[in-house]
Amino acid sequence: MKRLWAWGALTFGLLYFFLPLIGMTNFSLKMRRGAYSFDAYVKVLNDPRFQETFTYSVTMALVTILFGIFLIVPTAYWVRLKLPGLRPYIEFVTLLPLVIPAIVIVFGYIRLYNTSSWLPLTGSSLGTDVLLMFGYATLALPYMYRAVDTGLRTIDVGTLTEAAQSLGAGWFTIISRIILPNVLVAVLSGAFLTFAIVIGEFTMAALLNKPAFGPYMQLLGANRAYEPAALAVIAFGITWGCLGLIQLVSRFQKTAPRQA
């Protein structure tokens, strides 16, 4: 009886998730009257706005990932090595982006860094890009920090640090050549999650008036019929690709020999 309920729940879950996706994919292939075709996909992929916004979002995702690595890896390492008593408080701070809406964060940025403030970042395109990158890093903070912290938990940070210091290594060498390679798989997991978040984010990019992929999807959905469905399928493919890469690197982490 338990197995029957389990199969029933699994079937319901699969139908719940896959039926809308199948319907959307089927609709996106019906742009040509009376026949299935990839016309909607071709039209989207050849749209200069798609190429511009997708390139911009990918660039912002890569910059955000680099910033997140430089910020979180040394912080999580230092907290685990020197300040273990502060870990619950640090974890609480990293969870705040999950309960504070993105619209509140971006309005705070606009109010603090407008053209009449002491640091007028919203007065230039580069400044707005920097603000958007900070916003993306904030949204990805819970996932990136936990991925890195989980990676640090699998290695003996104290022993590795003492061994490196006994050989004359400085802090930069310890973090870049010893700690980072040992948690590289965890960092990659956080990087793929950050990439998926940045590609689909709408609120911050729209309010800062940047040509990102999320606002382009919303604009296309308001004016076209078949292209938004094709774009949604492409976005699902990108997200699932990132999740597949996370599963791949996680499997690699499980099969890799654990560090002493």
Side-chain angles (χ1 to χ4, degrees):
M1 191 64 181
K2 286 184 178 178
R3 180 171 295 185
L4 182 64
W5 278 106
W7 279 107
L10 178 63
T11 304
F12 177 78
L14 290 176
L15 291 175
Y16 181 81
F17 284 108
F18 283 103
L19 271 183
L21 184 60
I22 293 171
M24 182 172 61
T25 306
N26 181 57
F27 180 74
S28 69
L29 297 172
K30 289 186 173 179
M31 189 174 185
R32 190 180 302 174
R33 188 178 296 274
Y36 285 104
S37 71
F38 290 98
D39 290 355
Y41 294 87
V42 173
K43 203 165 184 177
V44 166
L45 294 176
N46 288 331
D47 185 356
R49 286 278 296 162
F50 168 79
Q51 298 167 8
E52 177 192 357
T53 56
F54 188 73
T55 303
Y56 178 81
S57 288
V58 169
T59 304
M60 290 299 297
L62 296 178
V63 174
T64 304
I65 288 169
L66 288 177
F67 176 75
I69 292 173
F70 281 118
L71 175 68
I72 293 174
V73 172
T75 303
Y77 162 72
W78 194 257
V79 169
R80 182 165 285 276
L81 181 68
K82 297 289 186 180
L83 306 167
L86 290 182
R87 282 192 62 223
Y89 305 101
I90 299 295
E91 289 185 358
F92 173 77
V93 171
T94 61
L95 286 175
L96 288 179
L98 295 178
V99 297
I100 300 176
I103 193 170
V104 175
I105 298 173
V106 73
F107 267 117
Y109 284 164
I110 293 172
R111 188 168 179 81
L112 280 174
Y113 303 109
N114 58 38
T115 53
S116 60
S117 70
W118 62 279
L119 189 59
L121 290 177
T122 58
S124 65
S125 178
L126 179 61
T128 316
D129 288 339
V130 172
L131 270 186
L132 186 59
M133 186 269 292
F134 285 152
Y136 286 156
T138 303
L139 294 181
L141 181 62
Y143 312 100
M144 193 67 169
Y145 183 83
R146 262 148 194 78
V148 174
D149 191 54
T150 302
L152 288 172
R153 197 177 303 168
T154 63
I155 62 176
D156 191 339
V157 173
T159 302
L160 288 174
T161 303
E162 290 176 4
Q165 287 177 329
S166 67
L167 295 173
W171 290 114
F172 180 78
T173 303
I174 293 173
I175 293 176
S176 61
R177 300 186 62 179
I178 297 173
I179 300 300
L180 186 58
N182 277 289
V183 297
L184 188 58
V185 175
V187 171
L188 286 176
S189 297
F192 291 134
L193 283 172
T194 302
F195 185 86
I197 291 170
V198 173
I199 289 297
E201 204 281 331
F202 167 77
T203 306
M204 289 186 170
L207 291 177
L208 290 174
N209 196 26
K210 301 307 295 183
F213 191 59
Y216 170 72
M217 289 180 66
Q218 188 276 334
L219 181 66
L220 196 67
N223 298 292
R224 305 288 178 83
Y226 298 96
E227 290 89 339
L231 196 59
V233 173
I234 293 172
F236 266 113
I238 294 171
T239 305
W240 286 359
C242 291
L243 294 176
L245 289 174
I246 291 173
Q247 290 294 326
L248 191 64
V249 296
S250 300
R251 184 170 299 179
F252 174 76
Q253 186 179 30
K254 289 176 183 175
T255 55
R258 180 166 293 188
Q259 301 295 320

